[in-house]
Structure formats: structure tokens, C-alpha cells
Amino acid sequence: FAIADNPIIYSAMTPEEIVSNFGGGDRLYQLGVFFQSLHEAGCELFIVSIGFKDACIIPHLNKVGLMQYFQEDHVFGQETDALRKHRHVKADLIKEIMERRGWTAQDALFTDDSERHITPARKVCQVLHVSGHGLTFAEMDEILKWGQRAAAVSGSAGAALGLVGASGGSTA
């Protein structure tokens, strides 16, 4: 299991190691179904990560076919100006994203495995503190149900993974 804050390890990974890092082929398939379902529900997907966007996150998402669910300008890593501006406080960046889109706290869901990032986000949006390294099937189901409800109620919602937002008609 490699994390996206080590570009040296990430750049040296084989295709098999990359797939394994996402949990294997079956889990990759399920992630694709999950992201497609969120997209169809009207959710706008973001990645807010302490990992490196350009050296780690985007290349690996591209290699496994998951980047198609994210707009490149919706991926924020530790080297991005947006996250640096907020001193790497994910909740502050999420709040800015929400304000630009006119989302309320009910319109955005932030998932993360670190209480250090979840605690400040509780004041900004809905949160889901995930249990470990990657989303479980139960957590994916919970996020999808949230996205469907949020989009149906408000017509827009957003989701950040590391923010899931639902925005009626927006693309992921």
C-alpha cells in the first residue's frame, strides 16, 4: 500500500502494483461503478488530498481509468496553489469550493480517513470518517445514497473524496 505523498515510490510502481494499490481489479471495477453512479445522480466529484496531484494522483487515476470521473481542476494536492493558500487545511478549501458553488453544509459531503481533517470539516459540510485505507463497499453505498438524496432535495450537491458535491447537471 503506497500513499500519494511519495512521488519516488509512485513513479516506480508497476501497472500491477498500481492496480493492487487501488485494492485490486474487482475493487477498481466497483470504484468505476460507484463514480459513474455518483455522476448519474448529479454529484460533482472532487479530490482534496495531501498527496501530490501531478506526480501521483492524476497519473495513477489515468492508468487505472478512473480519471474520467474527475475534472482535472477538481483535483487538489499538496502542491496546488488552492490547498497551499489554505495552509493545507482541507476544510478551508472545501468551504471555498462550496461558497463558489452556492452549496450549503447539506449539499456537500467530505470523506477522509483522518480525524485531523474530518474534525474541522464538521463545521463546514457533511462528513464521513472512513474506516481505513480506501472506501469499503458499505461506505460507497452510504455515499451514493447521500448523493442521491442531496441532489434530489436541493438540485445540487458536491462530494470531496479526501468532497462529494451534487450539482444538478454538472459533470464529474
Side-chain angles (χ1 to χ4, degrees), residues 47-75:
I47 295 175
V48 180
S49 176
I50 299 303
F52 287 97
K53 171 186 176 174
D54 293 326
C56 300
I57 299 166
I58 288 179
H60 280 216
L61 288 172
N62 276 321
K63 286 180 182 175
V64 298
L66 295 178
M67 190 60 202
Q68 65 181 314
Y69 301 106
F70 299 91
Q71 293 179 19
E72 191 167 334
D73 65 347
H74 287 181
V75 179

